[in-house]
Amino acid sequence: MATLKTLEVSQAEMATEYLKKILLAPVYDIAIESPLTPCDKISARLGNGNQVFLKREDQQPVHSFKLRGAYTKLSNLPASQRDKGVVAASAGNHAQGLALAAHKLGVTATICMPITTPDIKVDNVRRLGADVRLIGKSFNDAQSASIDIASNEHKTLVHPFDDPDVIAGQGTVAKELLQQNHQLDAVFIPVGGGGLLAGMAVYLKQLRPDIKIIGVEAEDSACLKAALEKGEPTDLEQVGLFADGVAVKRIGQHTFDVIKQYCDDVITVTTDEICAAIKEVFEQTRVIAEPAGALSLAGINKYCQTSQGNEQLAGILSGANMNFHSLRYVSERCELGEQKEAVFAVTIPEEKGSFKRFCQSLGSKVITEFNYRFVGKEQADVFVGVKIGGTQERKALCQKLNEQGFVAIDLTDNELAKLHVRYMVGGPNPNSAQERLFRFEFPEAPGALETFLETLGELWNITLFHYRNHGAAYGQVLAGFEVDNDEQLAFFRHLKALGYKWQEESQNPAFKAFLSK
């Protein structure tokens, strides 16, 4: 009994100390009180009386909440330690926050960053005057280097999350949140190393014990989930790098000690679900959240699939330092995450009219992608994307295709298919002597593909077909045909009758190098 009582007193003292640190944190010397944005579009989509709000930490001077913890830590350092400079490891946002905080306080900062860090974050840190050293492929590699530098160069190590002052600085987000809406039912907080979750949870639970605190992790970087299952921080074998801001192999010890006491649940989300959330954030706010920044909304979306509704839900939009080139990937994956698109591998007979019969079997559904390359005389394997209305409709469509004589395999949850195979359907045509290649612009309207197949597909064998819907007025299509020399005049007459803009690409060097014998 004495041991339990001592433990209870220790936990109470820890919570009180954090509360004091949060209330006294001098973050507003450099940070702003970020707005809490009502998300009417998202709330309407979720329905069931739910109201969604986003705490806009993307509006901070470095477009991330990390500035709060970094400045709090530096402000509390003795002058003797400040004079020797500080060092930190970071995937990017802590680096930018620390660099700006150091600049504000006149402190020299050295930042160790993984070589995988997006250029936008590296450039911003250098622009703020910090010495950037790109080391290793993961946060852990950079962290080890920062520890060595701290020892060898007598600098103070500023940990990105596992430090009481940093945790307290991040906790100021919770202080603002309750002032802006004290009636919240649940708060969704992104988790990397756990600094934001720990700081916010210890504050919120002391003032509102009834509020639900839910951590949200990327499925491929779920170090908190692993720690909770084992009962202590544990190393993941590897982490995914898409959500680089939360790509942490091991939860912090200080953060875990707080989180295990005050966090009610942890939700993990897939890459596709994160991409869908990035799209939703943009449609609601016209801000492009970075993957880690959109985690909380992805968690809200997943939570609302099973919740009772009529709740006020807040998510922390923790950052907007998106690498611009990642947008191509996000665009490809967001509708899969929204359960609005499914992708299938379908085997169809290699005969004239089979494409048309396959399209007719899809009914009125919009085809978003169609990849095909002739490989033999008996059957054809097609990679196809289709707009759907949810998981049940996807399963029903797969069953329908198989019942109608096709062999259909659902690849919607197959990472290899979505990441690589969709771009690799093809190879040289073994019978390419009479093959002609054309690029078309299809109007994005119902029946456009069927019109194409009726005009050309039943008269000439289609040897290649690639189409991807990108939401524009016209879709880009690449198609190949077997056209004998004595059929060329008739073929071009049908091309003219089709009425679509086209251009022949039979002599294109890319076609000759990869798709033609």
Side-chain angles (χ1 to χ4, degrees), residues 65-218:
F65 74 96
K66 288 283 191 176
L67 176 65
R68 297 172 182 263
Y71 191 80
T72 301
K73 175 65 176 179
L74 262 62
S75 296
N76 289 337
L77 284 179
S80 59
Q81 288 182 270
R82 288 197 211 173
D83 292 343
K84 293 177 180 178
V86 296
V87 61
S90 172
N93 285 337
H94 175 62
Q96 292 180 80
L98 182 60
L100 182 57
H103 180 75
K104 173 82 172 177
L105 294 170
V107 177
T108 301
T110 300
I111 312 292
C112 299
M113 307 179 82
I115 60 175
T116 55
T117 306
D119 290 343
I120 185 174
K121 296 181 180 180
V122 176
D123 293 342
N124 284 343
V125 174
R126 285 178 172 150
R127 194 175 299 118
L128 291 167
D131 172 23
V132 176
R133 304 184 191 181
L134 298 176
I135 302 172
K137 296 180 179 179
S138 69
F139 166 76
N140 287 57
D141 293 336
Q143 185 181 38
S144 296
S146 70
I147 294 171
D148 291 340
I149 292 170
S151 175
N152 296 334
E153 301 180 22
H154 308 292
K155 298 179 184 293
T156 298
L157 182 67
V158 181
H159 200 281
F161 51 82
D162 204 24
D163 179 283
D165 286 327
V166 172
I167 292 170
Q170 320 303 28
T172 59
V173 177
K175 180 178 68 172
E176 296 171 12
L177 188 62
L178 278 192
Q179 292 171 343
Q180 291 164 327
N181 186 344
H182 63 276
Q183 296 180 324
L184 291 170
D185 295 294
V187 180
F188 296 77
I189 304 167
V191 184
L196 182 63
L197 176 58
M200 292 190 66
V202 71
Y203 184 91
L204 292 169
K205 281 295 190 179
Q206 289 183 87
L207 275 68
R208 282 277 314 276
D210 59 311
I211 200 168
K212 286 182 281 191
I213 307 297
I214 301 174
V216 187
E217 291 190 287

Side-chain angles (χ1 to χ4, degrees), residues 461-498:
N461 187 38
I462 296 176
T463 58
L464 178 150
F465 197 92
H466 178 262
Y467 160 72
R468 178 67 183 164
N469 181 323
H470 287 289
Y474 288 87
Q476 301 295 322
V477 175
L478 187 67
F481 302 87
E482 281 186 347
V483 183
D484 293 336
N485 290 333
D486 58 358
E487 295 180 316
Q488 290 190 44
L489 182 58
F491 178 79
F492 282 98
R493 283 176 178 165
H494 280 78
L495 268 186
K496 184 176 181 180
L498 179 64

Side-chain angles (χ1 to χ4, degrees), residues 350-363:
E350 185 59 83
E351 58 189 26
K352 292 178 181 178
S354 61
F355 270 12
K356 181 181 176 182
R357 183 166 66 86
F358 167 67
C359 292
Q360 289 173 336
S361 70
L362 296 175

Side-chain angles (χ1 to χ4, degrees), residues 225-390:
K225 181 182 177 183
L228 290 171
E229 289 173 351
K230 193 170 181 180
E232 62 182 1
T234 184
D235 286 336
L236 299 176
E237 288 187 10
Q238 58 185 17
V239 296
L241 296 179
F242 173 64
D244 59 285
V246 291
V248 178
K249 285 188 175 182
R250 184 185 181 95
I251 199 80
Q253 185 63 61
H254 289 294
T255 57
F256 184 68
D257 289 343
V258 176
I259 290 168
K260 67 183 180 182
Q261 298 299 324
Y262 299 109
C263 181
D264 295 292
D265 196 8
V266 178
I267 293 175
T268 60
V269 293
T270 66
T271 294
D272 289 348
E273 289 166 339
I274 296 171
C275 290
I278 292 172
K279 177 187 173 186
E280 276 201 294
V281 169
F282 174 76
E283 290 178 342
Q284 177 70 57
T285 67
R286 291 301 184 263
V287 165
I288 300 174
E290 63 184 273
L295 269 179
S296 62
L297 180 56
I300 290 173
N301 288 335
K302 203 160 194 175
Y303 172 85
C304 289
Q305 292 174 9
T306 56
S307 68
Q308 296 181 349
N310 295 309
E311 291 184 296
Q312 295 196 39
L313 312 171
I316 311 305
L317 203 173
S318 59
N321 289 301
M322 168 67 90
N323 183 356
F324 182 79
H325 298 296
S326 298
L327 293 176
R328 291 175 294 187
Y329 180 84
V330 172
S331 177
E332 285 285 348
R333 302 292 290 260
C334 61
E335 291 203 337
L336 292 164
E338 293 174 311
Q339 297 294 320
K340 292 180 179 179
E341 183 184 23
V343 291
F344 301 95
V346 184
T347 301
I348 65 176
E350 185 59 83
E351 58 189 26
K352 292 178 181 178
S354 61
F355 270 12
K356 181 181 176 182
R357 183 166 66 86
F358 167 67
C359 292
Q360 289 173 336
S361 70
L362 296 175
S364 60
K365 290 182 172 55
V366 174
I367 295 175
T368 58
E369 181 170 3
F370 203 105
N371 296 328
Y372 161 72
R373 181 62 169 144
F374 177 87
V375 293
K377 291 291 186 181
E378 300 299 323
Q379 62 187 32
D381 293 319
V382 174
F383 187 101
V384 62
V386 183
K387 278 192 177 291
I388 56 166

